[in-house]
Amino acid sequence: MKTVDLSTRFWQQGYLVIDDFFSVESMNNLQSIILGHYGLHPQYEHEAAFLSKSATEVIPWFPQRSGEQAFDEIEHCANMQTLTEAILGEGWKSLYCMTMFSKKGSKGQAWHQDCPSNDPQQFNLNRLVYTMDINDQVGGEVLVMPGSHRQGQLPAGEVNENFSEQVILAPKKGTLVIIHGHTWHRVLPIKGEYRLSTNYRAIPENTSENITDICVYRNMLYQFSTSKVLEDRLV
């Protein structure tokens, strides 16, 4: 793994995709644990108003907080640690591990940035691990806008607009996808029985641990800690 080349590519694009980063065996083990937690019909945890306005239908779970040690193996994977440091530099730290479940027929996630982009040095890093194949039959492909991590705040507008420059990612089981917190990204609607991914978020040195508390959508700024819309961007 040529970490310098991968880091350079990440900073050029604002995202990175590496297939077969994790073994099928370890992915199958995590998939079993995740499905054992959710079942096939979990209930939404966010308020209905947020689900509707954000066009984001995802059910989170924080397995390490529940003592699920199998997720620590991925957290401490030497290759992922090395790559993360190549991207973020020394002094970076892990935030949390969050699995995301999407039901059949759900909307996926609208265009968003994980944190405000007014300070280019303050951002989070999404390290997305895929325990299942994402394809046209399953739905839930990831859309990213290359280079958008350098373009400031996601512009206000239609929440699921298609852009000519957007790139569609279809990760496979064992794929690692890394996305800069300022990169514009969204998830397409779910066609299969469910969609799963696990996000190991990290931050550079001297970055607030609540950096992801405010999420930037095309129609609003939303604060998770207070469950409030801080700004309606379409008024």
Side-chain angles (χ1 to χ4, degrees), residues 15-24 26-27 30 74 80 83 126-134 142 169-178 196-200:
Y15 71 94
L16 189 64
V17 181
I18 311 174
D19 290 331
D20 303 315
F21 196 89
F22 301 104
S23 70
V24 170
S26 63
M27 295 298 95
L30 292 190
I74 302 299
M80 189 163 76
L83 180 54
N126 295 310
R127 298 176 295 172
L128 293 152
V129 177
Y130 289 85
T131 53
M132 61 181 289
D133 292 341
I134 305 298
V142 181
L169 310 179
K172 300 181 296 183
K173 182 187 295 187
T175 295
L176 173 65
V177 175
I178 301 180
L196 293 173
S197 62
T198 301
N199 191 353
Y200 287 84

Side-chain angles (χ1 to χ4, degrees), residues 11 116-123 149-150 180 182 204:
W11 282 108
S117 57
N118 49 301
D119 184 347
Q121 303 304 315
Q122 295 289 304
F123 64 95
H149 62 302
R150 298 188 297 270
H180 192 292
H182 295 167

Side-chain angles (χ1 to χ4, degrees), residues 110-113 117 145 147-163 165 182-185 216-221 231-234:
W111 285 112
H112 64 284
Q113 293 170 303
S117 57
M145 278 286 287
S148 57
H149 62 302
R150 298 188 297 270
Q151 296 178 21
Q153 185 166 265
L154 172 69
E158 201 281 309
V159 297
N160 286 323
E161 180 180 353
N162 285 316
F163 298 104
E165 304 95 335
H182 295 167
T183 297
W184 311 351
H185 57 289
V216 181
Y217 295 93
R218 300 201 75 198
N219 60 348
M220 66 173 174
L221 298 183
E231 177 185 336
D232 191 328
R233 304 184 66 201
L234 298 183

